[in-house]
Amino acid sequence: MLLLECLLAASLLALMVSAWPAAVSWHEEYVLYLAAKELQMAIREAQVQAKNDDVHYRGAAEGVIFRCFMRNGRVRYETYRGVERTHPSGSLPCGVSLSGNGTAPKMVFCRDGFAGRSRIYSYRLTSGGGKHALVVVCAMYTGRVQIRRG
């Protein structure tokens, strides 16, 4: 009976050890997906701010500017109206990195909803090890913000 219990405990331990890498990979992918959703919502909020622009900010030549960049090993995003930083601004979770867009790329949104004055229309996020990647894409004319596998 004791031998049977030891074999059962050893087989359960072996099963847990073999499932550990899959659980870690799933967690990295899930954190990356949540970070991409946060970035998607922040871009969408910047678009809404541009459409609801008021008289106080009309003098800003470019409209609402959304920037996403790496600082101190973390991905940060900021929104500007003219020279003033506004909401949304924040950091994505640790273990997520921004890749492939140069330094401090920006998206520019105008009151008419057109995003055609931007240099880029996407941000590529990767997990810590680079195993998983997602791309947050903003459509230039419709303003639709999507998350795609990268």
Side-chain angles (χ1 to χ4, degrees), residues 27-148:
H27 184 262
E28 284 180 3
E29 189 175 9
Y30 186 68
V31 168
L32 181 65
Y33 177 73
L34 290 178
K37 287 298 276 184
E38 181 179 347
L39 191 61
Q40 178 188 30
M41 288 186 287
I43 292 171
R44 192 70 189 121
E45 190 172 339
Q47 288 175 330
V48 169
Q49 279 186 15
K51 284 192 177 265
N52 295 334
D53 214 1
D54 60 5
V55 176
H56 181 68
Y57 294 103
R58 287 253 168 98
E62 289 190 89
V64 175
I65 300 169
F66 183 86
R67 292 179 52 216
C68 188
F69 53 92
M70 292 287 292
R71 181 181 291 159
N72 299 330
R74 293 194 66 177
V75 179
R76 287 205 38 84
Y77 58 90
E78 296 175 346
T79 307
Y80 291 90
R81 281 184 167 177
V83 294
E84 183 179 330
R85 186 168 67 176
T86 63
H87 187 76
S89 295
S91 297
L92 296 182
C94 291
V96 175
S97 59
L98 181 68
S99 64
N101 288 327
T103 58
K106 63 182 180 179
M107 290 184 182
V108 181
F109 302 107
C110 300
R111 187 175 171 90
D112 60 2
F114 178 66
R117 296 174 56 200
S118 301
R119 287 187 345 204
I120 57 138
Y121 301 100
S122 64
Y123 292 109
R124 186 172 190 265
L125 301 175
T126 57
S127 62
K131 184 176 179 182
H132 307 285
L134 292 174
V135 180
V136 181
V137 180
C138 178
M140 180 171 66
Y141 289 103
T142 63
R144 183 176 178 192
V145 184
Q146 300 176 2
I147 298 174
R148 296 183 181 169

